[in-house]
Amino acid sequence: MLNDHVFEASRVRTISASSQAIWDVLADFGALSSWVDGVDHSSVLNDGPGGTLLGTSRRVQVGRNVLVERITEAEPPVRLCYEITGLPKQLRYVANRWTLRPAGDATLVRVTSIVEIGANPLSRIAERLVCRLATKQSDAMLTGLTRRMESAHA
């Protein structure tokens, strides 16, 4: 918990691949569905100004739910952050931040979900639910990324 209205939840995994190789998968922003189970479809909606990664957005379909994710930070091959829209309006701001840190021949990968909520009691209940869902989704993304990197090096 950062303050009364913002929550962060992180998951970390060491993956046997270089930071650059992992970055290349994360930066292929429209290909999320190729490595994350449960994501039915993903595609780039638009590139950032001048073709840069910053500002690039993608459409993500999970079941009947459609999300739009837009890159707000990009520091290759260290950090990628994107905000997520299309969630219930009680969630004022939701984002995921990926950070990569070399660890010998491997990379320490951290995905942090950031959720800004309201201050009313219903928002507090939603916070608990969102935190559980965010950590489950982070685990699924890390599992998919690990599987993708292991199959690339097999």
Side-chain angles (χ1 to χ4, degrees), residues 75-96:
E75 183 185 341
V78 176
R79 181 176 38 257
L80 181 73
C81 184
Y82 51 88
E83 67 181 32
I84 304 166
T85 58
L87 296 165
K89 65 181 180 179
Q90 295 84 355
L91 305 173
R92 295 180 183 172
Y93 176 81
V94 179
N96 281 334

CSV table of all heavy atoms in Angstrom, one decimal, residues 75-96:
chain,number,residue,atom,x,y,z
A,75,GLU,N,12.1,2.2,-20.8
A,75,GLU,CA,13.5,2.4,-20.7
A,75,GLU,C,14.2,1.1,-21.0
A,75,GLU,O,14.4,0.2,-20.1
A,75,GLU,CB,13.9,2.8,-19.3
A,75,GLU,CG,15.3,3.1,-19.0
A,75,GLU,CD,15.6,3.4,-17.6
A,75,GLU,OE1,14.7,3.7,-16.8
A,75,GLU,OE2,16.8,3.3,-17.2
A,76,PRO,N,14.5,0.8,-22.3
A,76,PRO,CA,15.1,-0.5,-22.7
A,76,PRO,C,16.5,-0.7,-22.1
A,76,PRO,O,17.2,0.3,-22.1
A,76,PRO,CB,15.2,-0.3,-24.2
A,76,PRO,CG,14.4,0.9,-24.6
A,76,PRO,CD,14.3,1.7,-23.4
A,77,PRO,N,16.8,-1.9,-21.8
A,77,PRO,CA,16.0,-3.0,-21.5
A,77,PRO,C,15.7,-3.2,-20.0
A,77,PRO,O,15.9,-4.2,-19.4
A,77,PRO,CB,16.9,-4.2,-22.0
A,77,PRO,CG,18.3,-3.7,-21.6
A,77,PRO,CD,18.2,-2.2,-21.8
A,78,VAL,N,15.3,-2.1,-19.4
A,78,VAL,CA,15.2,-2.0,-17.9
A,78,VAL,C,13.8,-2.0,-17.4
A,78,VAL,O,13.4,-2.7,-16.5
A,78,VAL,CB,16.0,-0.8,-17.3
A,78,VAL,CG1,15.8,-0.7,-15.8
A,78,VAL,CG2,17.5,-1.0,-17.7
A,79,ARG,N,12.9,-1.1,-18.0
A,79,ARG,CA,11.6,-0.9,-17.4
A,79,ARG,C,10.6,-0.6,-18.6
A,79,ARG,O,10.9,0.1,-19.5
A,79,ARG,CB,11.6,0.3,-16.5
A,79,ARG,CG,10.3,0.7,-15.9
A,79,ARG,CD,10.3,1.8,-14.8
A,79,ARG,NE,11.2,2.9,-15.1
A,79,ARG,CZ,12.4,3.1,-14.6
A,79,ARG,NH1,12.9,2.3,-13.7
A,79,ARG,NH2,13.1,4.2,-14.9
A,80,LEU,N,9.4,-1.2,-18.4
A,80,LEU,CA,8.3,-0.9,-19.2
A,80,LEU,C,7.0,-0.8,-18.4
A,80,LEU,O,6.8,-1.7,-17.5
A,80,LEU,CB,8.1,-2.1,-20.2
A,80,LEU,CG,6.9,-1.9,-21.2
A,80,LEU,CD1,7.3,-0.9,-22.3
A,80,LEU,CD2,6.6,-3.3,-21.9
A,81,CYS,N,6.3,0.3,-18.5
A,81,CYS,CA,5.1,0.5,-17.7
A,81,CYS,C,4.0,0.9,-18.7
A,81,CYS,O,4.2,1.6,-19.6
A,81,CYS,CB,5.3,1.6,-16.7
A,81,CYS,SG,3.9,1.9,-15.6
A,82,TYR,N,2.8,0.3,-18.4
A,82,TYR,CA,1.6,0.6,-19.2
A,82,TYR,C,0.4,0.7,-18.3
A,82,TYR,O,0.2,0.0,-17.4
A,82,TYR,CB,1.4,-0.4,-20.3
A,82,TYR,CG,1.4,-1.9,-19.9
A,82,TYR,CD1,0.2,-2.5,-19.5
A,82,TYR,CD2,2.5,-2.6,-19.9
A,82,TYR,CE1,0.2,-3.8,-19.1
A,82,TYR,CE2,2.5,-3.9,-19.5
A,82,TYR,CZ,1.4,-4.5,-19.1
A,82,TYR,OH,1.3,-5.8,-18.7
A,83,GLU,N,-0.5,1.7,-18.7
A,83,GLU,CA,-1.7,1.9,-17.9
A,83,GLU,C,-2.8,1.0,-18.7
A,83,GLU,O,-2.7,0.8,-19.9
A,83,GLU,CB,-2.1,3.3,-17.8
A,83,GLU,CG,-2.5,4.0,-19.1
A,83,GLU,CD,-2.8,5.4,-18.9
A,83,GLU,OE1,-2.3,6.1,-18.0
A,83,GLU,OE2,-3.7,5.9,-19.7
A,84,ILE,N,-3.8,0.6,-17.9
A,84,ILE,CA,-4.8,-0.3,-18.4
A,84,ILE,C,-6.2,0.4,-18.2
A,84,ILE,O,-6.5,0.8,-17.1
A,84,ILE,CB,-4.8,-1.6,-17.6
A,84,ILE,CG1,-3.4,-2.3,-17.6
A,84,ILE,CG2,-5.9,-2.6,-18.1
A,84,ILE,CD1,-3.2,-3.4,-16.6
A,85,THR,N,-6.9,0.5,-19.3
A,85,THR,CA,-8.3,1.0,-19.2
A,85,THR,C,-9.2,-0.1,-19.7
A,85,THR,O,-8.9,-1.0,-20.3
A,85,THR,CB,-8.4,2.3,-20.1
A,85,THR,OG1,-8.0,1.9,-21.5
A,85,THR,CG2,-7.5,3.4,-19.6
A,86,GLY,N,-10.5,0.2,-19.3
A,86,GLY,CA,-11.6,-0.8,-19.7
A,86,GLY,C,-12.0,-1.6,-18.5
A,86,GLY,O,-12.8,-2.5,-18.6
A,87,LEU,N,-11.5,-1.3,-17.3
A,87,LEU,CA,-11.8,-2.0,-16.1
A,87,LEU,C,-13.0,-1.2,-15.4
A,87,LEU,O,-13.3,-0.1,-15.8
A,87,LEU,CB,-10.6,-2.0,-15.2
A,87,LEU,CG,-9.5,-2.9,-15.7
A,87,LEU,CD1,-8.2,-2.6,-15.0
A,87,LEU,CD2,-9.8,-4.4,-15.7
A,88,PRO,N,-13.6,-1.7,-14.3
A,88,PRO,CA,-14.7,-1.0,-13.7
A,88,PRO,C,-14.2,0.4,-13.2
A,88,PRO,O,-13.1,0.6,-12.8
A,88,PRO,CB,-14.9,-1.9,-12.4
A,88,PRO,CG,-14.5,-3.2,-12.9
A,88,PRO,CD,-13.3,-3.0,-13.8
A,89,LYS,N,-15.1,1.3,-13.3
A,89,LYS,CA,-14.8,2.8,-13.1
A,89,LYS,C,-14.4,3.0,-11.7
A,89,LYS,O,-13.7,4.1,-11.4
A,89,LYS,CB,-16.0,3.6,-13.4
A,89,LYS,CG,-17.2,3.4,-12.6
A,89,LYS,CD,-18.4,4.3,-13.0
A,89,LYS,CE,-19.6,4.1,-12.1
A,89,LYS,NZ,-20.7,4.9,-12.4
A,90,GLN,N,-14.7,2.1,-10.7
A,90,GLN,CA,-14.2,2.3,-9.3
A,90,GLN,C,-12.7,2.3,-9.3
A,90,GLN,O,-12.1,2.8,-8.3
A,90,GLN,CB,-14.8,1.3,-8.4
A,90,GLN,CG,-16.3,1.4,-8.2
A,90,GLN,CD,-17.0,0.6,-9.3
A,90,GLN,OE1,-16.4,0.1,-10.3
A,90,GLN,NE2,-18.3,0.6,-9.2
A,91,LEU,N,-12.1,1.7,-10.2
A,91,LEU,CA,-10.6,1.6,-10.3
A,91,LEU,C,-10.1,2.8,-11.1
A,91,LEU,O,-10.2,2.8,-12.4
A,91,LEU,CB,-10.2,0.3,-11.0
A,91,LEU,CG,-10.7,-1.0,-10.3
A,91,LEU,CD1,-10.4,-2.2,-11.1
A,91,LEU,CD2,-10.2,-1.1,-8.9
A,92,ARG,N,-9.7,3.8,-10.5
A,92,ARG,CA,-9.4,5.1,-11.1
A,92,ARG,C,-8.2,5.0,-12.0
A,92,ARG,O,-8.2,5.6,-13.1
A,92,ARG,CB,-9.2,6.2,-10.1
A,92,ARG,CG,-10.4,6.5,-9.3
A,92,ARG,CD,-10.0,7.6,-8.3
A,92,ARG,NE,-11.2,7.8,-7.4
A,92,ARG,CZ,-11.2,8.6,-6.4
A,92,ARG,NH1,-10.1,9.2,-6.0
A,92,ARG,NH2,-12.3,8.8,-5.7
A,93,TYR,N,-7.2,4.2,-11.6
A,93,TYR,CA,-6.0,4.1,-12.4
A,93,TYR,C,-5.4,2.7,-12.1
A,93,TYR,O,-5.3,2.3,-10.9
A,93,TYR,CB,-5.0,5.1,-12.0
A,93,TYR,CG,-3.6,5.0,-12.6
A,93,TYR,CD1,-3.4,5.5,-13.9
A,93,TYR,CD2,-2.6,4.4,-12.0
A,93,TYR,CE1,-2.2,5.3,-14.5
A,93,TYR,CE2,-1.3,4.3,-12.6
A,93,TYR,CZ,-1.1,4.7,-13.9
A,93,TYR,OH,0.1,4.6,-14.5
A,94,VAL,N,-5.1,1.9,-13.2
A,94,VAL,CA,-4.5,0.6,-13.0
A,94,VAL,C,-3.3,0.6,-14.0
A,94,VAL,O,-3.5,1.0,-15.2
A,94,VAL,CB,-5.5,-0.5,-13.3
A,94,VAL,CG1,-4.8,-1.9,-13.2
A,94,VAL,CG2,-6.7,-0.4,-12.4
A,95,ALA,N,-2.2,0.1,-13.6
A,95,ALA,CA,-1.0,0.0,-14.5
A,95,ALA,C,-0.2,-1.2,-14.0
A,95,ALA,O,-0.3,-1.7,-12.9
A,95,ALA,CB,-0.2,1.3,-14.4
A,96,ASN,N,0.6,-1.7,-15.0
A,96,ASN,CA,1.6,-2.7,-14.7
A,96,ASN,C,3.0,-2.1,-15.0
A,96,ASN,O,3.1,-1.5,-16.1
A,96,ASN,CB,1.4,-4.0,-15.5
A,96,ASN,CG,0.3,-4.9,-15.0
A,96,ASN,OD1,0.0,-4.8,-13.8
A,96,ASN,ND2,-0.3,-5.6,-15.9
